[in-house]
Each structure stands twice: as C-alpha cells, then as structure tokens.
Amino acid sequence: MNHPHRLIVPATLAAILSLLPAIAHADVIAETTEAIKERFLETLEPQEITQAEPGDFEALLTGEERALFAQGYISFEVDEPVTVYIFRDARLDEVGEPFWLYEEGFEKTEFSAEAYQQDFDVWTRDYPAGEIGLGVHALRVVREHYFIGVTPQGEIGEAEVANIEPDYLEAGVLEQGALTYVDRTVTLDAISPELEGMTLVRTPSDRRPAAAIYGAFHETDYPASATPDQIFLTITEDPRDSIAVNWRTDTSVTEQAVALWEADDYNSPNRSEPRIIAAETVLVESPRVVNQREVHRHSALVEDLEPGTHYVYAVGSEEAGWSSVAEFETARNGEHPMSFIYIGDVQEGFLRFESVMDAALRERPDADLLVFGGDLVSRGNDADQWDEFFAALGDAGRSIPLATIPGNHEYLPDNDPYTYRNLFRLPDNGPEGMPSGLAYSFEFGGNTFVMLDSNEWNGEQAEWLPEVLGDADDDFTFVFTHHAAYTSRPGRYYAGVTENWMPIWEESGVVSMVFQGHDHAYTRTYPMLDGEISDADDGGIYYVLSSAGDKFYEIEDHDYIELAVEETQMFQVIDVMRDDRVIYRAFDVDGDEHDRVEIEK
C-alpha cells in the first residue's frame, strides 16, 4: 500500500540536528539510515521488507527522521531572497522520490536538462534570505544524484552562496558543459536556455546511497548449509608451488581443512592418506540479506607443491564430512605456453554470465586462469549477489584458479570491499599500506600479471608500479584495472588511471595489453603510446574494454578505438604461444569470434 507524504518542517538545519541528540557521528544521515534499517529488521517480517512498495518505508519513519531526510542533507546560506532549482533525474518520478520535493513546497516546471545521457526534470521553490536546508537524494540508491541551481528571485543570475555543507561541495555557474558533481566528470550536456547563468551547486554523486532504504534488503536463493559449497581456487604469488582454496558453510561449521593428494597417488590402487591443510575461518556478515545474515568463509593456502603437477583435493572435515573431489595443475617452471580467459563486468545478468562461462569453457576448456576485471556483482557487500555469481560460475573455479580485481561495485553499498576481501584469498604482495588482495602481481608461465584497484590508493599503486614492472623481464606483461585509461562511455575520464598510471605503463616498455571494465561495452584500441596511435613494436599498448553482464552503455566515437561491439556479452581468450606470440581473441556469448590480434615479442 502506498502512503501519503507527511509534512514536518523544522525551521533550520540546527533545529533538525537538535532533534537527534543521541547521534554523535559526523555523518548523521548515514547513522540514522543504519538505525532505521536495524529497526526494520527487528520489527518487520522479511516479506514486508523485501516487497515494500514506494511510500511504505516513508510511512514508518519518525517525524524527526523525515525532517532530517527532508532538510538535513545539504545546506547553505544566502544573503537575499532566492529561487532554488532542483534538477532531478526524471526516472525517479515513477517512485515519487525524493519525497521532500513533494512536501517542502517545490513545484515542477516545464524546464529540463540532460547530463550523463539522462533526462532531468526541474523543480523550484522560493526562499527568504538566510539558511536553506535540502534533503537526501532518495531513499534508494538508483538513478543520478540531483544538482542545484540558485538565483536571485525574479531574475536569472548568480547568487551569493556561503557556508555550504558538506564543505567539499562547490559553487559554479550553471551553463552547458558545466560539471554537475564534485566527484565525477559528468557535464551538463543540455539545459533549457532560460536557466543558464544562475549559480550551480555541485553535489556529491557518490552520496546517492546515503539514505538508501528501499532495495537495501534482500533474500538469497542459495543459503549456505553445513555442507561446503562455493568451492573455488584463487591465484597465489607463485602458482608453481602454491594455490589458495576458498569455500563457505553456514555458521554451525567451524573447523575446516583441505585434503590433498597428488593425482597419480589418488588414482592408484594403494592410495595414501591425504595431506591435511587447516583452513582459516572468518565470520562474514551480510545484514541486509534477511534470510541469512552471516556465513562462515573458509580458505587455505596450500604450499610446498611441485611445479607442473596435477593434484586432487576436497574440503571439509572428518566430523562434518568432505566435499566431492576436484583436480588442478600447478604452473610449470620457466617460460611455457599458457592461456587465460578474461571476463569484464558481470554486475547484473547472472543468467547471461552463465552462458558466457559455458561459451568460454567450450572455447578454452584447458585455460590456466580465469581473470575477472571487477564488478563481478552489483552490490558487493550483499551476500545474495555473490550467491548468484557462484551459482552461475558453477564448478569452473574448482579446477581453474581465479585472479580478480575489485570494481567500484565491490565497494558498494558501504564504500568498503569488506565481503570481497573475505571471499577471495589473493596474494599479499601489493603496495605497502594497502589492504592485502586489492592490488598484487604474480607470474605465470614466464608472463607477469599486474592487478590494480582503481577505486582507491592511487598514489600507493603509482609508487609500486615501477618496481613491479621493472621486475617484469619475461615474455609478456598484462595489466588489469577496472576503470579505463581509454574509455568508451560518453563523459567518462579517470585521471588517476590516465594521468598517473598510464605513463608508468608506457615508460616501462614491457606492457603488452591493459584489460579494463566499467564502461559496459566491448572496445579494443589500436596500439597506443603518448595518446597517439602507434605500433606494438614501438611500445604501443592495446587497451581492451569488455562486459559479460546484461547492462550496456553507449559507445562514443574515438579515434583510438579500432573495433567496437555494442550491447553484446563478450569474453576474451588470450593464448601465449611457445614461439613468443600472444594470440588475443574476443568472442560473444554465442561463441562467435569478433576480434583477433597477434602480438610478437
């Protein structure tokens, strides 16, 4: 049932905050949102939470909470009467968000704007001189954040805006081409000309989830049990003599282990007792998954293996039982032929991802590695999404090690890759000061793989890159970054990658290909050097974008793009040959080849 909006209007922002004296945290919005979620989890049935309709949660807010969400999110002061314009993503109209636009005296106009290929409608309200408080983006995380225009009443012009809070927000001039956000390079692509010239307050795009309640709760279709599942291998710093094994159980299971045999021994009539490697167990919480809020994640680093050797393993314990067995092979010594499969953003569309994996393994069933370029899921800290991912992955990861990097969605919705780091046991040889497993490197078959986290720690990785690339004196070097140096979606540019990292890659002279994601498209550049089309023999680097889910963005025309495929799930197979060649091929979900490049050392 939808509920009517209710109007509660404290006089000032200070009055709003005084209504919540128990909350001392600097981010009162986020703190209040978490408290509301906890209250709903304690007082509502799971179905009431996961099946809530627009208006249901608003009706359950206290008067103080509604007031805070209506006026306590952004504030500023003006020294004259002004008209405030709110530019709202028009897609929010269907859910009546944000609720305070309808309650705080704003009126919808006939004006419009466009940014990031999205239409924005325009709402206005007059304010007297003094303090102005505005509300949250929405009670859900979806759609683009609103931005603000301020003009003296009765005219269009610049208004003096002071004491903006949060203090990292910025004021500018509202005009076509202006940046709309303080934290993204999104420009105002179109605007009703009558509105140009007023003051623009750039808002924080990344704060969209600040008050997200709708869509914050979920149920998993694949709850954990006492039987081990989601069993998969991950790469180690030296895959010749070690491998990491990862799996989960419910919280009734604590002590777990890996049982290991050499394959020849396992298959012999006089099989010996397995080697037992104790696992580490961590409790991983997922409070928004209402039917299973915590599980145990287990992992074991299996060391002292022989290069180029087949092993058989199971996970579990004598007390709780063992899983079925699976087999893997360690990397061989020295340079040797090897293959890996690259998978770009999955994020949404796990059924299509399952089809991508089927096609990829038909094309290269003997791949040595499965490399994922970030955004494996959409909500990285909600276990139900990972449960769907592993269901779609199937048993492929039981025999082929995964090498992964985090995308921005691995950080959502808590701005922390907490679940990702507890899922994937990865090498701890990255930059000093970074949490383990977010950036790292390894060698396989005489080739160097450099795995980067383009979300955070840009400077630390920039300092580390020359060292790791300087040690890459072998066959080929491949770099993986979620955010792209050469983008395909209109309006996107990532200075931390393009300006800080790319010169290091080029200067090293060893990088052959950079694998990217985030733009939800397939593109491959010409070999690029110093921003110009070059040749691989002269140090030019190929840059690949790929996506394996069912979310796609427009591909903008760029001179650097040699080949593009629109709105198609893709995967790549990279074969390093015995004669110092790389054969790179890109396939669609049906297994049809779209692209091929050969690189000679």
Side-chain angles (χ1 to χ4, degrees):
M1 175 185 295
N2 291 340
H3 301 276
H5 296 304
R6 295 177 294 173
L7 180 60
I8 300 171
V9 186
T12 66
L13 178 62
I16 295 169
L17 296 181
S18 71
L19 294 171
L20 296 159
I23 297 176
H25 193 281
D27 192 341
V28 67
I29 296 287
E31 197 79 19
T32 302
T33 301
E34 290 307 308
I36 292 168
K37 291 176 184 177
E38 284 298 320
R39 185 173 78 242
F40 287 177
L41 287 170
E42 291 171 1
T43 60
L44 301 178
E45 295 298 320
Q47 279 193 328
E48 292 181 279
I49 295 173
T50 58
Q51 298 178 15
E53 297 181 358
D56 288 351
F57 286 161
E58 286 91 332
L60 298 175
L61 300 179
T62 67
E64 292 86 354
E65 291 163 348
R66 291 176 71 89
L68 176 70
F69 287 169
Q71 294 187 23
Y73 177 64
I74 290 174
S75 68
F76 52 87
E77 295 177 4
V78 293
D79 59 4
E80 61 179 325
V82 298
T83 301
V84 171
Y85 288 74
I86 299 296
F87 296 80
R88 178 193 71 164
D89 188 325
R91 294 172 295 176
L92 284 171
D93 188 60
E94 62 192 49
V95 290
E97 288 259 39
F99 71 89
W100 54 269
L101 272 183
Y102 303 87
E103 297 180 354
E104 296 286 304
F106 282 86
E107 295 183 358
K108 191 175 181 181
T109 72
E110 297 300 316
F111 299 125
S112 64
E114 181 182 333
Y116 210 49
Q117 302 171 268
Q118 300 299 338
D119 293 328
F120 287 72
D121 52 30
V122 183
W123 297 66
T124 66
R125 177 189 160 179
D126 290 337
Y127 283 89
E131 184 180 38
I132 295 172
L134 300 176
V136 296
H137 160 66
L139 298 186
R140 61 196 73 229
V141 71
V142 296
R143 312 313 182 198
E144 298 301 321
H145 200 293
Y146 70 83
F147 51 97
I148 306 164
V150 186
T151 184
Q153 286 183 20
E155 61 176 297
I156 297 296
E158 294 185 51
E160 186 69 30
V161 176
N163 297 325
I164 304 175
E165 292 291 342
D167 59 8
Y168 57 82
L169 303 190
E170 300 171 351
V173 178
L174 187 73
E175 58 188 356
Q176 189 165 332
L179 293 173
T180 55
Y181 305 121
V182 293
D183 51 357
R184 288 169 64 196
T185 53
V186 173
T187 58
L188 189 58
D189 299 325
I191 185 171
S192 297
E194 302 94 323
L195 303 184
E196 290 194 278
M198 70 176 70
T199 294
L200 166 68
V201 178
R202 300 186 183 97
T203 53
S205 175
D206 284 352
R207 292 285 290 150
R208 285 175 293 172
I213 303 172
Y214 289 102
F217 304 102
H218 314 279
E219 292 185 78
T220 178
D221 294 331
Y222 306 96
S225 69
T227 302
D229 67 357
Q230 297 182 6
I231 305 166
F232 63 97
L233 307 173
T234 47
I235 198 68
T236 60
E237 183 176 356
D238 190 347
R240 296 172 299 179
D241 62 14
S242 59
I243 198 76
V245 187
N246 312 259
W247 67 100
R248 75 162 186 173
T249 64
D250 65 23
T251 55
S252 70
V253 178
T254 54
E255 296 185 5
Q256 290 278 276
V258 173
L260 183 77
W261 300 263
E262 284 196 21
D264 288 344
D265 178 26
Y266 182 84
N267 294 318
S268 72
N270 299 311
R271 180 191 305 164
S272 61
E273 289 297 312
R275 175 185 165 195
I276 302 297
I277 302 97
E280 297 177 14
T281 297
V282 294
L283 178 72
V284 179
E285 297 177 305
S286 190
R288 291 174 290 269
V289 179
V290 296
N291 62 330
Q292 189 166 62
R293 300 181 68 184
E294 53 189 28
V295 300
H296 275 158
R297 287 281 172 182
H298 313 276
S299 67
L301 179 62
V302 182
E303 300 178 288
D304 301 321
L305 304 178
E306 292 297 321
T309 303
H310 288 264
Y311 289 90
V312 172
Y313 73 99
V315 302
S317 67
E318 291 295 338
E319 295 75 20
W322 294 95
S323 70
S324 60
V325 296
E327 186 172 337
F328 68 89
E329 181 185 9
T330 52
R332 286 167 275 167
N333 281 324
E335 298 179 3
H336 59 79
M338 61 88 61
S339 301
F340 67 93
I341 295 169
Y342 177 68
I343 305 289
D345 300 50
V346 178
Q347 194 186 120
E348 298 174 4
F350 296 105
L351 289 177
R352 294 300 280 169
F353 166 57
E354 186 174 11
S355 298
V356 168
M357 287 303 307
D358 289 344
L361 293 173
R362 283 196 302 270
E363 182 60 38
R364 179 58 74 227
D366 56 347
D368 295 289
L369 296 170
L370 295 173
V371 185
F372 288 87
D375 281 9
L376 286 71
V377 297
S378 186
R379 294 176 276 104
N381 286 318
D382 290 334
D384 62 302
Q385 291 250 296
W386 290 108
D387 296 346
E388 289 195 63
F389 172 85
F390 285 112
L393 181 67
D395 288 335
R398 293 198 66 181
S399 296
I400 307 174
L402 276 59
T404 65
I405 57 173
N408 54 302
H409 281 262
E410 272 67 58
Y411 278 72
L412 295 179
D414 307 304
N415 197 32
D416 179 1
Y418 158 79
T419 303
Y420 173 85
R421 292 191 60 229
N422 284 301
L423 273 172
F424 298 96
R425 185 165 186 157
L426 294 163
D428 185 15
N429 63 349
E432 187 175 345
M434 278 188 69
S436 64
L438 297 180
Y440 58 96
S441 68
F442 62 92
E443 183 185 291
F444 201 111
N447 308 285
T448 298
F449 292 75
V450 181
M451 318 296 288
L452 300 171
D453 180 356
S454 56
N455 300 282
E456 300 284 351
W457 296 284
N458 185 278
E460 289 87 344
Q461 291 171 91
E463 292 178 4
W464 172 72
L465 274 168
E467 175 187 345
V468 70
L469 293 175
D471 292 338
D473 56 356
D474 39 27
D475 271 4
F476 295 95
T477 297
F478 306 104
V479 173
F480 301 83
T481 170
H482 182 66
H483 296 86
Y486 286 96
T487 61
S488 65
R489 187 180 183 187
R492 284 193 162 172
Y493 178 77
Y494 302 104
V497 177
T498 304
E499 299 175 18
N500 293 355
W501 292 352
M502 189 167 69
I504 301 172
W505 303 335
E506 294 181 342
E507 215 173 284
S508 73
V510 300
V511 177
S512 299
M513 302 193 85
V514 175
F515 294 84
Q516 312 165 119
H518 194 57
D519 280 8
H520 295 271
Y522 177 77
T523 62
R524 177 186 52 77
T525 70
Y526 294 94
M528 300 299 297
L529 187 65
D530 295 328
E532 302 290 337
I533 296 173
S534 181
D535 189 277
D537 292 337
D538 297 326
I541 301 172
Y542 289 100
Y543 293 82
V544 171
L545 275 166
S546 189
S547 181
D550 61 6
K551 175 180 176 181
F552 301 105
Y553 294 142
E554 176 187 343
I555 298 176
E556 188 171 37
D557 288 334
H558 290 289
D559 291 341
Y560 53 72
I561 296 177
E562 183 171 12
L563 189 142
V565 181
E566 292 187 306
E567 297 193 1
T568 303
Q569 290 88 4
M570 301 285 287
F571 65 91
Q572 290 70 52
V573 173
I574 298 87
D575 297 314
V576 181
M577 311 300 287
R578 192 179 303 276
D579 57 355
D580 287 340
R581 284 185 304 139
V582 167
I583 300 177
Y584 164 92
R585 294 174 294 158
F587 299 86
D588 66 23
V589 64
D590 297 318
D592 295 329
E593 183 177 313
H594 287 257
D595 194 10
R596 175 186 286 252
V597 168
E598 292 193 20
I599 307 172
E600 294 187 5
K601 188 67 175 175

